Amino acid sequence: MADAKFSSPNEEVRNRPIGVFDSGIGGLTVLREIWKALPNESTIYFGDNGRAPYGTKSHDTIVQYSVQNMHFLLSQNVKMIVIACSSAGAHAHEEVRRHSGVPVIEVISPGAEQAVRETRNGRIGIIATRATVGSGLYREEVLAAANRLTAAGERREELAALSIEQVACPLFVSLAEEGYWNSPATRMIAEDYLSGLRDSGVDVLVLGCTHYPLLKEVISDVMGPGTRLIDSGASVAGRIKKTLIDSELDRSAADPPCHCFFTSDDPEMFEHRAAPFLGGGRPSGTRYVTTDKFV
Ligand code: DGL
């Protein structure tokens, strides 16, 4: 999953925003890590709330939506695209990368790599949407990361015989979107989804959907203290930073960066739901857009 390299882009290109999209509010868990790691970068976030969830859709539909979102972000003059949605990354990363003409960052490989680095018993759990689990990409990326570490001389025994267990948790997306982050209903559903993984002794659990960090508290309680949760937001932000610097695309302007939001559903509702994530209060000026005309 290599990213395009650009030779010495001019100042105008460097000062363009980073475009980020997700099916809804889940990608904000990635956006806040981008803000933390790259405080001088401007961002444009698109939440496709009107067409969410993606994780229950077919491959072709996810590709179509993702490519439309890409065209919308390019129309906003972005210098990079972050697919802050595992379902979209699992199905459409290659397509978006091929057609965008700017570097594209996805969220699956950073999480897979972090899981391999952090496991001590070689038992890795992955929870994600049906579309992501069905794609098999997390498994591939975990095995690829283990091979890379082994080739780099990390002779940890557990890397030779990894066990990877994946569970699809589709209801978590609606619970996160609806603000049921720590309710008894969420606990009951989490117990049902996760008890098998807990009993199998996984010591790391990848939150393989960008909505799931919202339910972290419940997931952690159900899994117990022996399982470390992997929220790849910070590793994704690290990869973005490295790509920007390597491609000489990091923002050089001294004036404060701008942060814009777009949603394909009600902006008022989007801002209400987004507020708890973004620390500094409720975002404002969110605009409505449907990306289906962007082809
Ligand atoms: N946040 C998304 C993901 O990472 C979206 C889930 C969905 O829309 O089903 O997969």
Side-chain angles (χ1 to χ4, degrees):
M1 292 198 170
D3 294 299
K5 290 276 185 318
F6 297 82
S7 56
S8 302
N10 60 34
E11 289 304 295
E12 189 274 319
V13 177
R14 295 182 87 134
N15 293 323
R16 291 179 186 175
I18 298 173
V20 182
F21 79 84
D22 177 49
S23 63
I25 59 169
L28 297 172
T29 61
V30 177
L31 184 70
R32 71 181 167 196
E33 296 299 332
I34 299 175
W35 285 1
K36 257 191 240 165
L38 296 155
N40 195 40
E41 294 293 338
S42 296
T43 57
I44 293 186
Y45 183 91
F46 171 63
D48 201 1
N49 304 75
R51 300 191 293 191
Y54 281 14
T56 52
K57 306 271 189 315
S58 68
H59 169 84
D60 289 353
T61 301
I62 296 173
V63 171
Q64 184 194 353
Y65 288 0
S66 302
V67 170
Q68 290 168 345
N69 300 343
M70 170 198 85
H71 282 300
F72 164 66
L73 288 173
L74 291 175
S75 78
Q76 299 296 306
N77 228 4
V78 298
K79 63 182 174 185
M80 167 185 269
I81 291 177
V82 180
I83 307 179
C85 172
S86 308
S87 310
H91 289 270
H93 173 239
E94 279 311 312
E95 196 73 6
V96 173
R97 195 184 56 75
R98 225 189 347 266
H99 293 108
S100 68
V102 297
V104 177
I105 305 286
E106 46 75 41
V107 294
I108 293 181
S109 50
E113 173 144 356
Q114 200 179 331
V116 173
R117 285 187 188 283
E118 293 192 17
T119 182
R120 289 295 162 257
N121 68 7
R123 294 196 198 122
I124 295 177
I126 296 162
I127 53 173
T129 64
R130 274 206 194 97
T132 301
V133 169
S135 76
L137 197 60
Y138 259 112
R139 179 180 290 277
E140 272 174 41
E141 291 292 342
V142 163
L143 295 174
N147 286 339
R148 276 196 303 276
L149 288 192
T150 310
E154 283 219 23
R155 305 214 171 276
R156 284 162 44 200
E157 241 171 60
E158 66 278 7
L159 295 186
L162 282 179
S163 106
I164 304 167
E165 293 200 39
Q166 304 193 74
V167 174
C169 306
L171 290 174
F172 280 177
V173 175
S174 314
L175 292 166
E177 286 279 329
E178 291 299 323
Y180 279 61
W181 300 345
N182 195 356
S183 78
T186 306
R187 274 177 197 274
M188 227 167 71
I189 292 166
E191 178 65 35
D192 199 58
Y193 280 148
L194 303 176
S195 55
L197 278 175
R198 181 186 55 217
D199 298 345
S200 71
V202 298
D203 71 342
V204 293
L205 180 65
V206 180
L207 304 179
C209 166
T210 53
H211 281 70
Y212 295 178
L214 297 172
L215 310 181
K216 221 173 189 171
E217 212 176 308
V218 171
I219 295 172
S220 170
D221 287 351
V222 170
M223 292 305 291
T227 306
R228 184 193 284 253
L229 304 187
I230 309 277
D231 166 2
S232 58
S235 327
V236 172
R239 189 167 289 193
I240 293 168
K241 187 172 186 172
K242 183 172 184 326
T243 306
L244 289 176
I245 292 170
D246 289 352
S247 315
E248 296 175 37
L249 277 172
D250 47 321
R251 184 169 182 268
S252 55
D255 54 326
C258 302
H259 302 296
C260 303
F261 293 90
F262 291 86
T263 176
S264 55
D265 203 355
D266 179 17
E268 171 72 23
M269 194 159 63
F270 176 86
E271 290 182 355
H272 174 71
R273 287 176 179 165
F277 290 96
L278 297 172
R282 190 181 156 123
S284 59
T286 301
R287 278 166 280 172
Y288 169 81
V289 68
T290 47
T291 60
D292 51 3
K293 54 183 181 301
F294 288 87
V295 283

